[in-house]
Amino acid sequence: MNLNPTSLLLQRVSESFIGKVLFANPDDTYPIELAAQTTVFTWCQSKTVYDRLIQSGFDASKAEFNATWTLSSGEEFDHVIIIQPKAKELLDYLIAATMPLLKMGAKIWLVGDNKSGVKSSYKRLEPLSDKAGKVDAAKHCLVYNAQKIAPSPEFLFQNWITKWQQEVAGQTFTLCSIPGVFGHKKLDKGTAILLEKLSEHRFMSDVKQARFLDFGCGDGIISLWLHNQTGAKVTALDDSALAIKATELTFAANGVSDSLTTLGSNGLKELKGRFNYVVSNPPFHTGIATDYGVADSFLANVRQHLTLNGELFVVANDFLKYAPMIDAALGTHTCLQRDKGFAIYYGKQKKPK
């Protein structure tokens, strides 16, 4: 079982995890190993990690893939373990959500790679707990903990939702986001360039009946723009439970929830059927690490989910080698635009020869 350096560090202090443990934001299958010695629950924001845990034998009744933790409430955990996320606001969110679940006198743990910012992030534990400090260090990682000494404020999910009015590509609408979602509180440049180019596209005449897929939906900006532009229903897919929730909130804020289907999926694994249009600003990070695997797998398999003459639109940093991948999947591609370090690629499903 291959474990990340953070989990190898947690192994060194595993004798401390006595009682009931909640992993918030796990990034590998270490909870399975720890579950052999104590009671372990996992709160996953990644569908990939959730699937890997369940497929590797973790008890599904003790795991949740969701933007919020709902399997239990009240002070019942002896330990909460948080893997340092890339976004510091997500760390604040995870701390706020899990501290009310800790027993008085119990411990919250934070572990991360040196490059993740964990060395400064542990100070975020101090206002809510006591004796925050380093426990161990190895393999370029650090682990800290702190003891809960006072009642924690009630976690109110609605307080973590950010709403704003966004203008882009001829439309104005409300966007909603929560910490950890791509493009949180701002309009991503690549997405803006993509939507401006799509506003020039001539969609097919019966477009209201067409099937649209937004791969890597983030806060739902592409999905909502596509729906507003065409009147069609949209399927929004993401690995992140936080992104799925944000997209649902965005559609609800604009009164068009009936036009949205959301799907949590590791790449395209959970997706069924074919689509007339697939649009994506695909991710190339996993946690804090650069990882092209998600986009590579998406482009390699998108053909299986495009109808005959189905169209693919992808925006990406122009240094990424996506053009040959689209060629391999669809036979050819067109670069519609290069601007501000981004490229927009277009491909079309051709009839097999």
Side-chain angles (χ1 to χ4, degrees):
M1 189 180 294
N2 294 325
L3 297 178
N4 295 327
T6 49
S7 292
L8 296 175
L9 179 55
L10 288 172
Q11 281 182 326
R12 292 163 53 112
V13 296
S14 62
E15 70 280 356
S16 301
F17 302 128
I18 299 171
K20 201 171 179 180
V21 178
L22 173 62
F23 267 88
N25 196 37
D27 60 356
D28 63 15
T29 56
Y30 177 63
I32 295 175
E33 179 179 313
L34 189 60
Q37 74 177 54
T38 192
T39 302
V40 178
F41 288 73
T42 59
W43 174 25
C44 302
Q45 287 81 53
S46 165
K47 187 62 161 57
T48 299
V49 173
Y50 175 84
D51 289 347
R52 191 178 301 148
L53 282 166
I54 302 305
Q55 291 162 8
S56 299
F58 191 82
D59 185 350
S61 69
K62 294 183 172 67
E64 182 165 23
F65 169 69
N66 203 342
T68 57
W69 175 255
T70 66
L71 293 186
S72 59
S73 61
E75 300 176 350
E76 61 173 292
F77 289 100
D78 300 285
H79 301 272
V80 166
I81 302 172
I82 300 176
I83 307 299
Q84 171 81 33
K86 181 180 179 181
K88 296 295 177 65
E89 279 190 273
L90 176 56
L91 176 58
D92 292 337
Y93 176 86
L94 295 173
I95 292 171
T98 57
M99 283 298 292
L101 304 174
L102 267 179
K103 296 176 182 176
M104 201 66 66
K107 291 184 177 180
I108 183 167
W109 300 71
L110 177 64
V111 59
D113 184 279
N114 289 341
K115 296 178 181 178
S116 70
V118 67
K119 190 176 292 187
S120 59
S121 289
Y122 90 89
K123 295 179 181 178
R124 286 170 148 78
L125 305 177
E126 292 178 341
L128 302 172
S129 53
D130 190 30
K131 300 177 183 177
K134 186 172 76 173
V135 178
D136 201 358
K139 298 184 180 296
H140 307 290
C141 295
L142 295 163
V143 59
Y144 298 86
N145 71 15
Q147 186 177 41
K148 179 175 176 177
I149 59 168
S152 301
E154 180 184 2
F155 176 72
L156 299 173
F157 175 70
Q158 61 268 29
N159 292 347
W160 293 87
I161 301 170
T162 299
K163 291 185 180 182
W164 72 100
Q165 291 295 110
Q166 183 64 61
E167 295 183 16
V168 61
Q171 295 184 23
T172 302
F173 43 66
T174 301
L175 285 180
C176 299
S177 188
I178 48 182
V181 173
F182 175 73
H184 184 49
K185 296 183 179 180
K186 64 182 184 298
L187 174 62
D188 172 69
K189 290 181 181 179
T191 296
I193 293 168
L194 172 64
L195 295 179
E196 289 291 348
K197 179 56 65 174
L198 283 175
S199 69
E200 302 169 4
H201 187 66
R202 184 176 180 179
F203 292 99
M204 54 196 246
S205 58
D206 57 346
V207 70
K208 285 188 178 181
Q209 305 305 316
R211 300 192 70 205
F212 283 81
L213 172 68
D214 176 8
F215 178 84
C217 58
D219 58 20
I221 181 172
I222 292 176
S223 292
L224 182 61
W225 189 93
L226 288 169
H227 166 70
N228 289 345
Q229 189 78 359
T230 66
K233 295 183 177 181
V234 179
T235 296
L237 179 154
D238 208 293
D239 177 69
S240 166
L242 301 164
I244 290 169
K245 184 63 176 179
T247 297
E248 291 171 348
L249 290 168
T250 288
F251 269 66
N254 291 275
V256 289
S257 294
D258 290 346
S259 295
L260 174 71
T261 298
T262 53
L263 180 65
S265 180
N266 172 9
L268 295 169
K269 290 183 179 179
E270 303 289 333
L271 189 65
K272 307 292 184 185
R274 293 179 180 268
F275 295 81
N276 304 99
Y277 299 94
V278 175
V279 182
S280 182
N281 184 351
F284 63 97
H285 289 94
T286 300
I288 62 171
T290 298
D291 180 5
Y292 305 136
V294 174
D296 292 356
S297 176
F298 161 64
L299 293 174
N301 293 286
V302 70
R303 179 185 181 91
Q304 302 169 25
H305 295 285
L306 279 170
T307 61
L308 181 61
N309 295 320
E311 298 176 70
L312 169 70
F313 296 87
V314 174
V315 64
N317 294 79
D318 60 7
F319 64 83
L320 298 173
K321 307 300 183 183
Y322 287 174
M325 297 180 201
I326 298 173
D327 289 345
L330 301 177
T332 187
H333 81 281
T334 301
C335 181
L336 299 179
Q337 185 174 343
R338 289 187 184 276
D339 187 22
K340 300 176 183 176
F342 293 91
I344 300 175
Y345 299 106
Y346 171 83
K348 192 171 185 178
Q349 178 88 294
K350 301 291 180 62
K351 191 173 183 178
K353 295 181 179 179

